[in-house]
């Protein structure tokens, strides 16, 4: 070595110091697909930006054509799943903010549901290769759509918003909460966010996609092989199914469907469906009992000793998302039917009580019981914001729009709820316990409403009527489609 501690090459050698850990200063949005990572990032960005905007009390025409967009280059975080260059565009941010407010969805919880964890793909069949995802708490559905559907929605968003305002949110139409464009590697993906029709807490045991037509309206063998297949009209009638929701609910549902189909017909929209989900409380009770027995046998080594549950407490909870709390009881204390509550405090009060299926009145907007519309559903006398936010347009049912729901209003008043709290069908705060005779909960909502009856559909109608009657096919003019749709449900709702 040369004098002065230098090497033969004349350069000094330095000992490398261990680097200190640097705390991440920016939030990372991790997802299995780059498009989802950018979507989560964009939701966080766009909703956060709204916090710095003065929201006008009245929307103007320009608000329904406005958009915000941002372009990012050389993003440094999570490069395996997060692209270094991308674009994000939010359509009509103020208009959708107002729609979310009217549907009782708070912006903060909307952002939390869509960004806290990666949205999960679902196996729901989609038109034209559409992909479906569910938020981690099952409150929202994320659907990829075509550019033609984006253009169509821009044409009807003013009328859609006006209809929501005039109906005070009492509708079975999809609740559209946001529309976005994500651009990654030059490929554009259009995304629509909607409220989930099904419950975020109670499982659906059977579901149908119903149009009132018969041609190609049977589930395929591949679909039937799924754990939860989507059956269609021919399956529905072949099974001898009826939607047993009671006389009051039937009147409410038909009134809502009539108003909604009149609106869709005015926009020349057709080929929509009513998505039906059925929660069977008796089946759930049987499955819970079997699952509980298996758990106890595993915990006790098959000895049947129940001492493993002695130290159970209402505080031993597992969060299930969406403000719900799920918990496990020892077998001796398990209720005969499933229960979902909102807080740990409610769980403590619930232990040992004889509960029937509980639907969260703030979450399950599209739910109907056999005997009465559930509080917060479109057929009930009132609706509460999902996150406690004030939603003045959803606090009452129009008597002229849903006269059958007027009777339900009195039945859900605070005075009667207080009186019912001591009855056998106990009521948990934040959820409505059902009557023991109501062993099914129905979730009903319109889907796929963005199909315009234009030249392409007219040509398809002409081609199909060569071999099939008009009353068999789905592709018919909007007025005839709506009439057949209503007649089908008039026959099959009881």
């Amino acid at each position: 070595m040369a004098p002065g501690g230098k090497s033969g090459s004349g350069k000094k050698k330095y000992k490398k110091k261990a680097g200190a850990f640097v705390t991440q200063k920016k939030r990372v949005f991790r997802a299995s697909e780059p498009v989802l990572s950018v979507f989560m990032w964009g939701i966080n960005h766009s909703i956060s930006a709204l916090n710095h905007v003065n929201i006008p009390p009245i929307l103007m025409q320009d608000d329904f054509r406005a958009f915000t967009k941002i372009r990012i280059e050389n993003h440094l975080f999570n490069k395996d799943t997060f692209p270094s260059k991308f674009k994000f565009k939010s359509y009509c941010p103020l208009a959708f903010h107002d729609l979310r407010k009217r549907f009782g969805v708070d912006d903060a919880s909307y952002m939390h549901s869509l960004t806290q964890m990666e949205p999960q793909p679902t196996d729901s069949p989609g038109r034209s290769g559409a992909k479906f995802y569910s938020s981690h708490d099952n409150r929202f559905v994320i659907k990829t759509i075509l550019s033609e559907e984006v253009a169509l929605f821009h044409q009807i968003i003013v009328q859609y918003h006006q209809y929501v305002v005039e109906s005070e949110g009492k509708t079975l139409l999809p609740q559209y909460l946001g529309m976005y464009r994500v651009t990654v590697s030059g490929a554009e993906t259009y995304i629509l966010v909607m409220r989930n029709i099904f419950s975020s807490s109670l499982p659906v045991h059977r579901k149908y996609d119903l149009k009132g037509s018969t041609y190609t309206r049977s589930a395929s063998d591949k679909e039937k092989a799924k754990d939860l297949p989507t059956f269609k009209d021919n399956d529905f009638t072949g099974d001898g199914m009826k939607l047993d929701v009671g006389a009051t609910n039937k009147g409410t549902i038909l009134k809502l469907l009539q108003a909604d189909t009149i609106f869709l017909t005015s926009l020349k929209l057709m080929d929509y469906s009513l998505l039906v989900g059925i929660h069977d409380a008796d089946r759930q009770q049987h499955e819970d009992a079997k699952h509980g027995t298996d758990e106890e046998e595993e915990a006790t080594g098959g000895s049947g000793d129940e001492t493993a549950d002695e130290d159970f407490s209402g505080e031993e909870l597992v969060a299930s998302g969406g403000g719900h709390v799920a918990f496990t009881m020892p077998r001796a204390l398990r209720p005969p039917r499933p229960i979902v509550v909102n807080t740990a405090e409610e769980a403590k009060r619930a232990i040992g009580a004889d509960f029937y299926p509980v639907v969260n009145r703030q979450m399950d907007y599209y739910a109907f019981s056999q005997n009465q519309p559930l509080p917060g559903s479109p057929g009930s006398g009132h609706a509460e914001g999902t996150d406690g936010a004030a939603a003045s347009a959803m606090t009452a049912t129009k008597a002229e729009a849903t006269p059958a729901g007027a009777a339900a209003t009195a039945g859900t008043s605070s005075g009667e709820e207080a009186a019912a709290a001591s009855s056998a069908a106990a009521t948990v705060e934040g959820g409505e316990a059902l009557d023991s005779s109501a062993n099914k909960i129905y979730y009903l909502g319109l889907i796929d409403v963005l199909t315009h009856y234009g030249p392409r559909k007219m040509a398809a109608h002409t081609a199909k009527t060569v071999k099939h009657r008009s009353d068999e096919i789905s592709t018919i003019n909007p007025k005839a489609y709506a009439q057949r749709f209503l007649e089908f449900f008039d026959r099959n709702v009881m």
Side-chain angles (χ1 to χ4, degrees), residues 408-465:
T409 306
T412 54
S413 63
S414 58
E416 291 193 14
E417 284 181 355
S422 60
S423 66
T427 299
V428 180
E429 180 182 342
E432 184 76 7
L434 304 183
D435 199 314
S436 59
S437 63
N439 60 351
K440 288 185 175 65
I441 301 170
Y442 296 88
Y443 300 92
L444 310 174
L446 290 165
I447 60 171
D448 295 334
V449 303
L450 297 179
T451 301
H452 186 258
Y453 190 69
R456 184 183 302 177
K457 286 295 181 181
M458 291 179 185
H461 169 78
T462 302
K464 289 179 180 179
T465 51

Side-chain angles (χ1 to χ4, degrees), residues 130-145:
K131 294 182 179 180
F132 287 84
Y133 302 87
S134 174
S135 62
H136 73 92
D137 52 12
N138 292 323
R139 290 177 57 201
F140 305 113
V141 172
I142 300 104
K143 177 186 178 183
T144 63
I145 59 176

Side-chain angles (χ1 to χ4, degrees), residues 39 43 88-91 110 178-181 189-191 193:
F39 169 74
I43 292 292
F88 183 84
K89 184 174 184 179
S90 176
Y91 294 100
Y110 175 77
M179 188 165 66
Y180 311 95
R181 186 189 71 189
T189 303
Y190 299 93
I191 295 174
V193 179

Side-chain angles (χ1 to χ4, degrees), residues 246-263:
T248 299
N249 270 338
K250 176 176 180 176
T252 299
I253 291 169
L254 292 180
K255 285 281 186 181
L256 291 170
L257 287 177
Q258 183 178 29
D260 291 344
T261 54
I262 289 174
F263 169 73

Side-chain angles (χ1 to χ4, degrees), residues 41-287:
W41 182 94
I43 292 292
N44 182 77
H45 172 80
S46 60
I47 298 299
S48 298
L50 282 175
N51 294 330
H52 305 286
V53 175
N54 292 324
I55 306 297
I58 300 176
L59 294 176
M60 308 302 289
Q61 284 293 324
D62 288 345
D63 294 322
F64 295 97
R65 297 189 292 266
F67 60 86
T68 62
K69 61 181 180 179
I70 185 171
R71 178 177 181 175
I72 298 294
E73 295 189 6
N74 300 320
H75 201 283
L76 302 178
F77 298 101
N78 200 21
K79 289 184 178 179
D80 290 338
T81 56
F82 204 98
S84 60
K85 298 180 181 181
F86 60 86
K87 299 177 185 178
F88 183 84
K89 184 174 184 179
S90 176
Y91 294 100
C92 313
L94 292 181
F96 279 111
H97 166 80
D98 190 70
L99 285 170
R100 289 192 295 269
K101 181 179 178 181
R102 292 181 183 278
F103 287 132
V105 177
D106 179 74
D107 275 357
S109 69
Y110 175 77
M111 180 174 70
H112 180 274
S113 294
L114 296 176
T115 64
Q116 187 69 11
M117 295 177 65
E118 174 185 1
Q120 297 299 310
T122 68
D123 62 355
S124 298
R127 296 179 179 178
S128 305
K131 294 182 179 180
F132 287 84
Y133 302 87
S134 174
S135 62
H136 73 92
D137 52 12
N138 292 323
R139 290 177 57 201
F140 305 113
V141 172
I142 300 104
K143 177 186 178 183
T144 63
I145 59 176
L146 302 174
S147 58
E148 292 86 349
E149 293 175 290
V150 175
L152 176 59
F153 195 81
H154 273 110
Q155 295 174 19
I156 69 170
I157 186 172
V158 175
Q159 295 93 323
Y160 174 79
H161 179 270
Q162 183 180 357
Y163 181 75
V164 171
V165 173
E166 292 177 352
S167 65
E168 298 183 336
K170 301 297 182 181
T171 172
L172 295 179
L173 289 174
Q175 293 189 5
Y176 295 120
L177 306 174
M179 188 165 66
Y180 311 95
R181 186 189 71 189
V182 172
T183 306
V184 177
S185 301
E188 296 179 338
T189 303
Y190 299 93
I191 295 174
L192 196 58
V193 179
M194 301 165 283
R195 185 195 287 270
N196 191 357
I197 291 174
F198 296 156
S199 173
S200 59
S201 55
L202 297 180
V204 167
H205 296 108
R206 197 168 183 85
K207 62 178 178 176
Y208 293 92
D209 179 309
L210 303 175
K211 294 185 177 183
S213 58
T214 57
Y215 177 62
T216 68
R217 296 299 297 163
S218 299
S220 64
D221 292 338
K222 180 180 178 181
E223 180 67 25
K224 291 178 180 178
K226 296 180 180 178
D227 292 337
L228 183 61
T230 302
F231 295 102
K232 298 183 180 180
D233 300 72
N234 293 335
D235 308 303
F236 183 86
T237 54
D239 294 342
M241 285 291 297
K242 298 287 183 181
L243 302 181
D244 186 9
V245 296
T248 299
N249 270 338
K250 176 176 180 176
T252 299
I253 291 169
L254 292 180
K255 285 281 186 181
L256 291 170
L257 287 177
Q258 183 178 29
D260 291 344
T261 54
I262 289 174
F263 169 73
L264 295 173
T265 301
S266 70
L267 299 174
K268 295 184 179 181
L269 299 176
M270 40 74 71
D271 209 17
Y272 42 83
S273 306
L274 187 73
L275 184 62
V276 177
I278 304 173
H279 170 79
D280 189 329
D282 291 333
R283 173 177 169 180
Q284 187 66 36
Q285 177 187 357
H286 176 75
E287 291 177 354

Side-chain angles (χ1 to χ4, degrees), residues 262-435:
I262 289 174
F263 169 73
L264 295 173
T265 301
S266 70
L267 299 174
K268 295 184 179 181
L269 299 176
M270 40 74 71
D271 209 17
Y272 42 83
S273 306
L274 187 73
L275 184 62
V276 177
I278 304 173
H279 170 79
D280 189 329
D282 291 333
R283 173 177 169 180
Q284 187 66 36
Q285 177 187 357
H286 176 75
E287 291 177 354
D288 287 350
K290 184 178 184 302
H291 180 67
T293 302
D294 293 342
E295 280 184 345
E296 289 186 9
E297 289 180 353
E298 183 178 347
T300 60
S303 64
D305 183 9
E306 297 183 1
T307 57
D309 286 326
E310 283 181 356
D311 297 329
F312 173 80
S313 166
E315 296 178 352
E316 296 174 5
L317 305 168
V318 179
S320 63
H324 291 48
V325 175
F327 58 94
T328 303
M329 290 184 178
R331 185 170 61 180
L333 293 180
R334 284 182 186 136
R337 304 284 177 89
I339 175 176
V340 176
V341 295
N342 289 328
T343 66
E345 188 63 31
E346 292 171 11
K348 293 178 183 178
R349 296 198 298 270
I351 292 176
D354 185 22
F355 285 106
Y356 293 94
V358 174
V359 176
N360 187 302
R361 67 180 61 183
Q362 296 178 342
M363 299 287 182
D364 300 321
Y365 177 86
Y366 292 96
F368 293 86
S369 74
Q370 283 185 315
N371 292 336
Q372 60 184 5
L374 296 171
S377 71
S380 69
H382 68 279
E384 299 180 23
T386 300
D387 310 288
S392 59
M394 297 177 63
T395 56
T397 304
K398 277 188 176 181
E400 64 274 19
T402 56
T409 306
T412 54
S413 63
S414 58
E416 291 193 14
E417 284 181 355
S422 60
S423 66
T427 299
V428 180
E429 180 182 342
E432 184 76 7
L434 304 183
D435 199 314

